[in-house]
Amino acid sequence: MLPPHLIATPAAPLQLSDKVDQALAVLEDLKVSSWPVVKESVYTGLITEEVLMDADADQTIDTLRYELRPYKALNTDHYLSAAGLMSDRQLDVLPVTTPDGEYLGVVMMQAMLQQMATLNGAASPGAMVVLEMDPIDFSPGEISRLIETNDAQIRQLNTQIDEHTGRIIVTIRINKQEVSDIIATFQRYDYRVAYFVGEEQYENELRRNYHHLLHYIEM
């Protein structure tokens, strides 16, 4: 289900009796391109800035009800389903309801981005390694084993398919910063390392040698 912290109420939903200029003021204040409309406490649809801009200022939203967009998430949905809907429909706001249609609040794009960053381990300490391979060669068990042989562990592992090549992109978050030994291991086993972020051991050794040299000169 959707985590409760994702469901926000930065402003009250619009009512069918509200006028266009009132709705535009809400959108401008929240810096969003759409906002939910309810009838009493039941979700009716999303009203967009585009629709409002084409209407007269003193029109009520009720006169525009056939222009409302039906998009919503249920509070019982997984947040990845909600993220997919926001991406597919280019929504910066996604209304959330109960299965009975009762309006609960909205998921804001910023909150969803933070949730996805947590899922991907973007905020976690440690190095990141990106591998590229044919789907038939993808073995999470072997990847984990190779990393563990270097006294490291996987914090996050995510995959996606490159639409142009059909190859699988494997993004791995590791629990330590030094990655030179891990990179060397992957290359020894013929894995293509497409990208990595972390400290390489030889750079650390150079840094230590540099500090020893400075200490020697100062003596």
Side-chain angles (χ1 to χ4, degrees), residues 35-82:
W35 199 244
V37 179
V38 301
K39 182 179 181 180
E40 297 179 354
S41 62
V42 177
Y43 174 67
T44 303
L46 272 176
I47 189 72
T48 67
E49 183 179 30
E50 181 181 6
V51 169
L52 292 169
M53 292 294 290
D54 288 338
D56 294 332
D58 59 352
Q59 276 186 257
T60 63
I61 296 177
D62 188 38
T63 64
L64 304 170
R65 66 163 60 209
Y66 295 108
E67 301 284 353
L68 299 181
R69 304 171 77 183
Y71 308 128
K72 67 176 183 179
L74 301 182
N75 63 329
T76 54
D77 289 344
H78 193 278
Y79 71 86
L80 287 179
S81 297

Side-chain angles (χ1 to χ4, degrees), residues 9-15 18 26 30 35-38 103:
T9 52
L14 295 166
Q15 303 287 331
D18 289 335
V26 172
L30 295 173
W35 199 244
V37 179
V38 301
Y103 175 80

